[in-house]
Amino acid sequence: MASNSSQNVTGYVVFISLLFDLLAFTMILPLFPSLLDYYKQNDSDGLYQWLEKHISVFQKIIGVPDRFNGVLFGGILGSLFSFLQFASSPILGGISDVYGRKPVMIICLIGILSSYIIWSKATTFSLFVWSRIIGGLSKGNVSLSMAIVTDVYVPEKRGRGMAMIGIAFSVGFVFGPMIGAAYAKWSHSQEGDWFVQPALLAVILTIINIIFVFFAFNESLPKRNRALSVVGKLSEAFTYINIIDLFKFKLLIGIVPSEDVKKLRSLGSIYFMYLFLYSGLEFTLTFLTHNKFGYTSMQQGWMFFGIGVTMALLQGGWVRKIPPSRTAKTATLGLLLISPSFICIGMAESPPLLILGLFLYAVSTSIVVPCMTTLASHYGSDAHKGKAMGTFRSLGALARAIGPVFASILYWSVGPKITYFIGGTLLLLPWFLLKKTLKDTKEKK
C-alpha cells in the first residue's frame, strides 16, 4: 500500500479525472429527447425513418402516438450503451491487472474522446448510434477508478477513497446536465446544428482529462503485484459477464462460508430487481417531462440540478453518517419511498405532484445504493471482499443495461401513466423481499 501522502494525491487525481469525465458524460442527459426529435426531422441517411417504418405496423395496432417513438429508440440506445459498459468493464479491469491501470485508463479515455468527436459530427442518426456504441465500450474508467482506490488505500481507509468517487458523481450529476442544457440553449442561437457545441465541450473536457491523467497519475499497481496471466484474469472477467454465474456468486463458492454466499445471493437478487425497475423508469423520466409537460433542455437541466443538489446534501450530511446498526432500516426506507415517487411522477398532471415525486425520488436514490452496497460488504472475508463486491456491482450494471429498453417498450406501448404505475407498484417487491430477508437473518441470530 502507498504512504498517506501518496494515497491522498492518488485519491485527488482519481476525483479530478472522474469529475472531468462525469461533467462531459452527463451533459447529454437533458438533451436526449430533443436529440431524438432532431433526428426524426433531419436524419439524412434514413436510419431513424427506417426504424419507424418497421415498427409502424405494431404502432397502428396499439395506437401509439408518433411522439413516443423517441422514447423507444432512446431506451434501446440507453440499454445498448449500458450493456456494452457492463460487458467491457470487467475485461478492461482484468487487462489492467496484468498491464497496469494507467495505460488501460488512457485507452478508455481515448475511446470516450472518439465517441464525443463522432457525436459532434453526428448529423445522422446512424453516426449518433456509433458514438454511443464506442462510448459504452470505452466506459471502463469508472471501474478502473475503483480499482485504483483499492490499490492505494488500506482496507480501513478505503471508504475515504470510495467517498471521493461518490462526491465526484454527485458534483458531476449536479452541474453536468445544467452545463449541457445551457450550451444547447446558447447553440440554438448560433449557426449550424445546436448539439455541436455541447459535444465539442465534452471533447475539450476529455482532452484535458487525458492530458491530466497522463502527467498527474502515477501507476497505482506495482509490477510485483500484477497478475502474470492475462488468460486467467480474462477468465475471471467473463464470470462477471456470465449472467448465471453472477446470480450464483460463483467466484465465492468454496472460498467463503456457504451461508454468506446464500445471503449475498438474496441481496444481489433484490438489488438487481430494484435497479432493473428503477433504471428503466429513471431513463424515461426526461421523455415524460418532455412529452407531458413540454420541458425544454434547459428545464430538464434545472430538474437534474434540483435532484442532484438534494442528493448531494443528503449524502453529504446524513447518509454517510448513518450508523451500521441503522443501515438495514435505512435501506428498507429508501426502497419504500421509491414506489410512491414514481407513481406520483406518472400520475402528475401539474407541477406540484411532479415536484413531490421528484423530491421523493431524490431522497430514495441518495439512500438505496449506498446502504445496499454496505449491507453486501458485511459478507465474506477481507481477502475475498473484492470478488463479492465486484459481483454485486456487476449485477447492478446488468440491471441498468436491460432496464431502460424494457421500460421504454412499456412506455411506448401503454403510455407513461400506466408504465409508472406498474413500475412503482412492482418496486414494492424489492422492499418486501429485503424486509423479509433482514427479518429471517435476525431470527436466525
Side-chain angles (χ1 to χ4, degrees):
M1 292 292 175
S3 65
N4 286 337
S5 60
S6 178
Q7 287 176 3
N8 292 334
V9 169
T10 303
Y12 285 121
V13 169
V14 168
F15 169 79
I16 293 169
S17 175
L18 263 182
L19 185 57
F20 278 125
D21 176 68
L22 291 164
L23 286 172
F25 171 73
T26 56
M27 285 197 300
I28 199 173
L29 297 181
L31 313 183
F32 230 95
S34 297
L35 273 169
L36 290 164
D37 285 349
Y38 168 88
Y39 291 118
K40 179 180 177 66
Q41 298 165 10
N42 302 285
D43 185 24
S44 60
D45 71 357
L47 176 61
Y48 195 101
Q49 285 71 28
W50 182 85
L51 290 170
E52 282 198 314
K53 181 181 178 181
H54 281 75
I55 64 169
S56 61
V57 175
F58 302 101
Q59 190 175 355
K60 289 175 182 176
I61 291 172
I62 58 182
V64 177
D66 283 345
R67 70 181 188 276
F68 284 1
N69 288 347
V71 185
L72 178 64
F73 300 154
I76 294 169
L77 279 179
S79 280
L80 177 63
F81 182 96
S82 296
F83 182 80
L84 292 172
Q85 183 181 5
F86 158 76
S88 64
S89 291
I91 296 171
L92 291 167
I95 293 171
S96 77
D97 286 340
V98 179
Y99 297 106
R101 313 297 187 203
K102 186 171 182 175
V104 180
M105 176 71 83
I106 291 173
I107 289 169
C108 286
L109 292 175
I110 290 172
I112 292 168
L113 174 64
S114 303
S115 75
Y116 292 144
I117 292 172
I118 294 172
W119 176 30
S120 72
K121 304 291 184 183
T123 54
T124 65
F125 187 55
S126 58
L127 268 179
F128 182 67
V129 171
W130 273 112
S131 76
R132 302 305 289 171
I133 290 172
I134 295 170
L137 287 170
S138 306
K139 209 74 180 74
N141 62 311
V142 176
S143 59
L144 283 173
S145 296
M146 294 180 180
I148 291 166
V149 167
T150 304
D151 291 338
V152 299
Y153 284 92
V154 294
E156 57 268 23
K157 293 186 178 180
R158 201 164 287 159
R160 181 179 177 183
M162 293 299 179
M164 293 186 73
I165 290 176
I167 294 169
F169 268 86
S170 296
V171 175
F173 275 82
V174 167
F175 293 104
M178 277 296 296
I179 294 170
Y183 259 73
K185 184 178 180 180
W186 174 73
S187 299
H188 276 292
S189 65
Q190 308 297 310
E191 293 184 3
D193 296 308
W194 62 269
F195 61 83
V196 173
Q197 297 300 329
L200 288 177
L201 180 57
V203 168
I204 292 168
L205 288 171
T206 309
I207 291 172
I208 294 171
N209 198 5
I210 292 170
I211 295 170
F212 174 74
V213 170
F214 185 83
F215 287 105
F217 176 53
N218 293 319
E219 178 59 58
S220 63
L221 186 64
K223 289 185 177 181
R224 65 180 181 276
N225 294 339
R226 295 180 191 177
L228 298 176
S229 169
V230 72
V231 175
K233 296 307 297 184
L234 288 179
S235 176
E236 182 178 308
F238 284 121
T239 305
Y240 288 120
I241 302 171
N242 185 304
I243 296 173
I244 296 173
D245 289 346
L246 271 183
F247 280 97
K248 287 182 177 179
F249 280 77
K250 184 178 177 180
L251 287 173
L252 299 177
I253 296 175
I255 60 175
V256 301
S258 58
E259 190 62 29
D260 280 8
V261 175
K262 186 177 178 181
K263 290 172 182 174
L264 281 168
R265 286 173 180 169
S266 296
L267 284 174
S269 297
I270 293 167
Y271 188 61
F272 174 85
M273 189 186 306
Y274 159 75
L275 276 179
F276 168 72
L277 295 166
Y278 168 90
S279 64
L281 297 177
E282 177 192 44
F283 183 85
T284 59
L285 179 58
T286 54
F287 292 95
L288 180 146
T289 53
H290 180 71
N291 292 329
K292 197 171 184 180
F293 293 96
Y295 272 24
T296 63
S297 295
M298 198 66 214
Q299 288 171 308
Q300 302 273 16
W302 280 112
M303 178 182 74
F304 280 110
F305 182 79
I307 292 169
V309 168
T310 303
M311 289 176 57
L313 290 173
L314 287 171
Q315 288 178 332
W318 172 47
V319 176
R320 69 185 182 88
K321 296 178 182 178
I322 294 171
S325 60
R326 299 286 302 174
T327 302
K329 287 187 176 180
T330 307
T332 55
L333 171 65
L335 287 174
L336 183 60
L337 288 176
I338 198 64
S339 179
S341 79
F342 281 127
I343 291 174
C344 286
I345 291 169
M347 297 296 113
E349 297 293 341
S350 61
L353 189 58
L354 175 66
I355 291 169
L356 173 62
L358 291 173
F359 175 73
L360 293 174
Y361 161 85
V363 174
S364 174
T365 302
S366 68
I367 295 171
V368 176
V369 172
C371 289
M372 287 287 288
T373 304
T374 301
L375 287 176
S377 70
H378 292 161
Y379 301 103
S381 64
D382 288 340
H384 304 113
K385 197 80 75 182
K387 292 179 179 179
M389 298 313 299
T391 303
F392 196 75
R393 284 194 296 268
S394 289
L395 281 170
L398 176 62
R400 287 187 176 278
I402 60 178
V405 69
F406 275 88
S408 297
I409 289 171
L410 189 61
Y411 188 117
W412 181 77
S413 303
V414 299
K417 191 170 287 188
I418 296 175
T419 298
Y420 275 67
F421 181 79
I422 291 172
T425 303
L426 288 176
L427 276 164
L428 288 171
L429 188 56
W431 165 76
F432 172 78
L433 291 174
L434 179 62
K435 198 170 182 181
K436 184 177 182 298
T437 299
L438 294 172
K439 183 181 178 182
D440 292 343
T441 301
K442 190 174 181 181
E443 287 175 354
K444 286 180 181 180
K445 288 181 178 179

